[in-house]
Amino acid sequence: MKHIRNFCIIAHIDHGKSTLADRLLEFTKTISERDMQNQVLDDMDLEREKGITIKSHAIQINYRHKNEDYVLNLIDTPGHVDFSYEVSRALAACEGALLLVDASQGIQAQTISNLYLAIDNNLEIIPVINKIDMEGAMIPEVTDQIIDLIGCKQEDILLASGKSGIGIEEILTAIIERIPSPKGDPEAPLQALIFDSVFNSFRGIIVYFRIFNGVLRKNDKIRFFNTDLEYTADEVGVLKLGLDPRGEVRTGDVGYVITGIKNAREVKVGDTITHTAQPCIEAIKGFEDVKPMVFAGIFPVETDAFEELRDCMDKLQLNDASLTFELETSQALGFGFRCGFLGMLHMEIIQERLEREFRQTVITTVPNVSFIATTSKGEKIIVNNPAEMPDPTRLEKIEEPFIRAQIISKPEYIGNIMTLCITKRGILINQGYLTATRVELTFDMPLTEIVFDFYDKLKSMTRGYASFDYHPIEYRESDIVKMDILLNGDRVDALSALIHRSRAQEFGRKLCEKLKELLPRQQFQIAIQAAIGAKVVARENISAMRKDVTAKCYGGDISRKRKLLEKQKEGKKRMKQIGNVEVPQEAFLAVLKLND
């Protein structure tokens, strides 16, 4: 065990985590030149295009140092705020972490939040300044920022460049010399932490784990502690670029197990694996069910493609256990699913994957968060979509989720950030200078307000110099109302939204104006109304297209023309009663892109 080192790389998005991992694998010849490509651990097209890691990966590196052979287990972590639970489980499986900071950008919000996660798990932190060969590198300033943040010495900070391979050997030496080897008892009952799982269409779910105590052998009978389900370990092994089967995986090692599980819900990240015959007394701490934060409806464009969409959602869930969905019906859109996502990026990724991997074209309704409604009888109801909102006459109070947001930026943008957060009903909690050129603002904000376009606005107001991170804190009482959109007096349930009363009128007006542009004109007038209960807060009219019915009259008595116009008027009246208004796909998308 003293020759094993388990470590991960933590960084803000785009600070060069995957590129550094490539160089480590290349330098140690873990991957042959033929298999080498950029971002080798990111195996989805989407990850490469967006330049982000979506799924965490693990790989074993063999390295010879001072005539001794070491096994280094690198557990790659996603960088985006939506996937922070996955990051926390990956950190729990390690003893050390490389804290990567971009020399040209300095410390950003995600760096700090992931650092706190690492400190909570008592990890040994190795600070690394990356991209030192870039023109805009500010090495002395970034060094001072790191010293202020973690209180290390200047000589502890390593300088490297993932792109050109500078400093890779020093990083490997530091991993071996500074990160402690795993502790644990090989003779104790088996205790292994699940930190990830992937779906393979031939073999079922492959579970990645790290053993803290005991040994896992092939054909052992195992039990998952929190779900209480039992299986046989058909194959165990370690993770190279592919799977490398072994007879046993020992204490301190990172490996995988295949048991032929086909249902994603049976494997939960953070669960503990133990033996059926000789179980461990307690599970590894920190397990929690992943809670979705943002909800939206996903509907097929063609209503008869519903069964196909259901199969695709099942397959997606095998690959991404943090996606939750249940059946939903809508008068406007037919059958579909109510899906729970970790955040807006997660939602975007699921949509993209449905379209790319499964060739599904879908309509996504307005995203919203889950509220807790208390009725006058004292019952608590969780409201995930506007249709579940109880009648206002039975409603005692409604609570919405709040988050603690950390924003790090340059001092000259403080005014812009404050204005943005306060218009989004944010409450300033704290403001502090990390360095002379870095200010950190902490706000308590309702999650509803950041679901839409908060992140885009923050980036444009600060010219890209702000980084943003958040975590949920609690539910607080709020004045939330349900706003309906009516077309000629008929509700379009897919356009309903739950919104704070102070914003409802403005939001309703914008939405009506947008719909006026997008809905096709009919032979009769269409009234678009936004209403809260029975009170209409905004209205727009789409005027009727007029057909010239008198064109065929050449002169003659005026009564002939009048007769034709009366007939047209009757027809329009009847058409208005039975005619229905088709809502095009763009209208639903427009709601997502309502700009202030």
Side-chain angles (χ1 to χ4, degrees):
M1 258 165 49
K2 71 177 201 293
H3 288 104
I4 298 175
R5 300 287 183 274
N6 297 322
F7 73 101
C8 59
I9 306 174
I10 52 177
H12 189 78
I13 307 165
D14 206 25
H15 279 206
K17 192 156 40 74
S18 298
T19 313
L20 184 74
D22 288 352
R23 292 296 85 75
L24 291 172
L25 299 177
E26 204 172 52
F27 186 82
T28 55
K29 301 199 168 38
T30 304
I31 290 180
S32 64
E33 280 181 30
R34 196 181 68 182
D35 292 334
M36 197 61 210
Q37 55 174 335
N38 285 344
Q39 293 157 269
V40 70
L41 293 179
D42 294 347
D43 50 15
M44 265 188 247
D45 293 344
L46 206 58
E47 290 182 311
R48 296 222 164 101
E49 267 176 43
K50 288 185 180 285
I52 54 174
T53 303
I54 296 167
K55 287 291 288 173
S56 55
H57 295 265
I59 192 164
Q60 193 177 85
I61 299 169
N62 296 93
Y63 183 60
R64 194 166 178 79
H65 178 68
K66 293 185 179 170
N67 294 327
E68 290 191 30
D69 290 325
Y70 287 88
V71 172
L72 314 178
N73 289 310
L74 160 62
I75 299 174
D76 191 19
T77 58
H80 198 274
V81 53
D82 284 2
F83 308 110
S84 58
Y85 176 65
E86 268 195 41
V87 176
S88 78
R89 296 299 80 212
L91 293 176
C94 299
E95 276 82 30
L98 297 180
L99 178 72
L100 205 61
V101 182
D102 186 325
S104 60
Q105 295 182 28
I107 283 170
Q108 295 191 297
Q110 203 69 46
T111 319
I112 293 181
S113 70
N114 284 346
L115 174 71
Y116 290 155
L117 278 176
I119 291 170
D120 288 347
N121 284 301
N122 297 321
L123 266 60
E124 177 65 37
I125 309 288
I126 301 176
V128 179
I129 299 179
N130 192 22
K131 306 190 187 180
I132 56 164
D133 52 353
M134 277 180 71
E135 279 181 21
M138 312 175 291
I139 297 168
E141 292 93 322
V142 178
T143 305
D144 293 344
Q145 286 178 19
I146 294 174
I147 292 169
D148 287 349
L149 183 67
I150 57 176
C152 61
K153 297 189 185 72
Q154 189 168 341
E155 54 270 23
D156 292 343
I157 300 171
L158 304 174
L159 301 179
S161 165
K163 200 154 213 166
S164 51
I166 303 167
I168 299 300
E169 196 168 351
E170 289 80 355
I171 290 175
L172 288 163
T173 306
I175 289 167
I176 289 165
E177 290 176 358
R178 293 197 219 168
I179 294 176
S181 58
K183 311 244 177 315
D185 181 1
E187 305 303 318
L190 175 67
Q191 198 182 28
L193 171 78
I194 299 175
F195 64 84
D196 198 13
S197 65
V198 292
F199 177 70
N200 180 307
S201 46
F202 300 107
R203 317 210 50 187
I205 290 180
I206 302 169
V207 177
Y208 295 170
F209 61 82
R210 146 81 201 271
I211 299 186
F212 283 88
N213 292 306
V215 179
L216 176 59
R217 296 183 178 85
K218 191 177 175 178
N219 298 327
D220 277 357
K221 294 272 185 288
I222 55 170
R223 179 163 74 89
F224 289 0
F225 207 94
N226 290 296
T227 53
D228 216 19
L229 297 164
E230 296 181 2
Y231 307 97
T232 304
D234 298 335
E235 181 180 309
V236 296
V238 295
L239 297 150
K240 297 287 192 180
L241 187 57
L243 305 176
D244 187 3
R246 300 279 165 96
E248 62 177 30
V249 183
R250 303 185 64 79
T251 307
D253 260 332
V254 172
Y256 72 91
V257 59
I258 298 175
T259 58
I261 306 169
K262 289 284 190 284
N263 184 353
R265 292 187 182 90
E266 292 176 26
V267 181
K268 294 192 185 299
V269 170
D271 204 346
T272 303
I273 304 175
T274 187
H275 281 129
T276 310
Q278 205 187 352
C280 57
I281 301 150
E282 60 173 8
I284 296 160
K285 290 183 178 59
F287 171 74
E288 54 185 76
D289 277 328
V290 180
K291 293 184 191 70
M293 300 298 289
V294 174
F295 295 86
I298 287 186
F299 294 87
V301 173
E302 305 291 333
T303 41
D304 52 359
F306 170 70
E307 284 301 327
E308 201 181 325
L309 181 63
R310 186 205 294 259
D311 290 346
C312 298
M313 296 295 282
D314 282 333
K315 284 178 187 159
L316 249 184
Q317 195 178 37
L318 290 172
N319 232 310
D320 184 349
S322 44
L323 167 71
T324 59
F325 64 89
E326 58 190 46
L327 281 176
E328 183 182 47
T329 51
S330 152
Q331 294 159 2
L333 300 169
F335 290 104
F337 298 97
R338 188 89 201 148
C339 303
F341 307 98
L342 300 174
M344 287 301 277
L345 177 84
H346 188 212
M347 177 176 143
E348 199 182 308
I349 284 163
I350 294 293
Q351 253 177 291
E352 286 256 352
R353 288 184 67 186
L354 276 172
E355 284 177 11
R356 286 180 181 205
E357 293 171 32
F358 301 104
R359 306 265 182 278
Q360 291 288 316
T361 45
V362 292
I363 295 174
T364 309
T365 61
V366 188
N368 61 292
V369 302
S370 68
F371 300 91
I372 296 177
T374 309
T375 62
S376 43
K377 290 181 181 170
E379 299 171 278
K380 278 194 174 355
I381 301 169
I382 293 175
V383 181
N384 285 339
N385 69 344
E388 293 169 6
M389 180 87 154
D391 194 78
T393 52
R394 305 196 293 121
L395 200 61
E396 182 71 31
K397 63 174 183 180
I398 186 158
E399 294 165 299
E400 66 174 334
F402 266 69
I403 55 153
R404 175 70 47 89
Q406 268 179 316
I407 298 169
I408 295 177
S409 184
K410 291 187 168 184
E412 59 258 40
Y413 300 118
I414 291 178
N416 291 357
I417 295 169
M418 293 259 199
T419 313
L420 174 67
C421 293
I422 289 163
T423 52
K424 298 278 188 188
R425 298 191 287 131
I427 304 153
L428 182 66
I429 302 296
N430 193 6
Q431 175 185 345
Y433 281 83
L434 299 170
T435 64
T437 56
R438 280 288 153 110
V439 64
E440 180 183 26
L441 300 164
T442 309
F443 285 90
D444 278 2
M445 295 175 75
L447 183 62
T448 334
E449 298 290 343
I450 67 156
V451 158
F452 271 100
D453 52 359
F454 177 79
Y455 194 56
D456 299 344
K457 284 206 177 127
L458 180 70
K459 282 288 185 200
S460 59
M461 280 184 164
T462 58
R463 300 194 184 149
Y465 278 112
S467 58
F468 169 69
D469 182 49
Y470 68 88
H471 59 268
I473 42 174
E474 62 189 357
Y475 278 79
R476 296 183 188 173
E477 196 174 331
S478 191
D479 189 7
I480 298 290
V481 291
K482 178 184 173 188
M483 194 177 75
D484 291 310
I485 296 294
L486 310 174
L487 296 180
N488 279 349
D490 293 334
R491 272 194 180 80
V492 182
D493 57 353
L495 291 174
S496 297
L498 294 170
I499 193 160
H500 194 265
R501 195 183 293 276
S502 63
R503 301 268 316 275
Q505 192 166 357
E506 177 201 2
F507 181 77
R509 197 174 62 247
K510 279 197 189 120
L511 193 48
C512 288
E513 284 168 7
K514 199 83 181 168
L515 287 171
K516 184 180 177 181
E517 291 168 26
L518 292 164
L519 291 180
R521 283 172 71 189
Q522 306 283 352
Q523 298 254 332
F524 52 90
Q525 187 187 27
I526 303 170
I528 306 168
Q529 294 166 306
I532 298 168
K535 185 186 174 195
V536 175
V537 292
R539 173 177 173 137
E540 290 285 340
N541 287 331
I542 299 178
S543 53
M545 281 196 297
R546 183 158 178 268
K547 191 176 170 187
D548 191 358
V549 286
T550 59
K552 60 185 179 191
C553 288
Y554 298 111
D557 190 9
I558 185 68
S559 59
R560 286 180 62 199
K561 286 188 177 177
R562 196 165 289 144
K563 192 171 147 192
L564 287 169
L565 290 168
E566 284 297 322
K567 195 173 166 189
Q568 183 186 32
K569 196 173 169 187
E570 281 299 312
K572 280 190 188 285
K573 201 168 166 185
R574 201 167 85 248
M575 200 188 271
K576 190 169 182 177
Q577 285 167 356
I578 61 163
N580 60 348
V581 184
E582 286 288 313
V583 182
Q585 161 104 25
E586 290 82 55
F588 296 107
L589 298 177
V591 183
L592 303 179
K593 299 192 173 80
L594 266 190
N595 295 322
D596 284 357

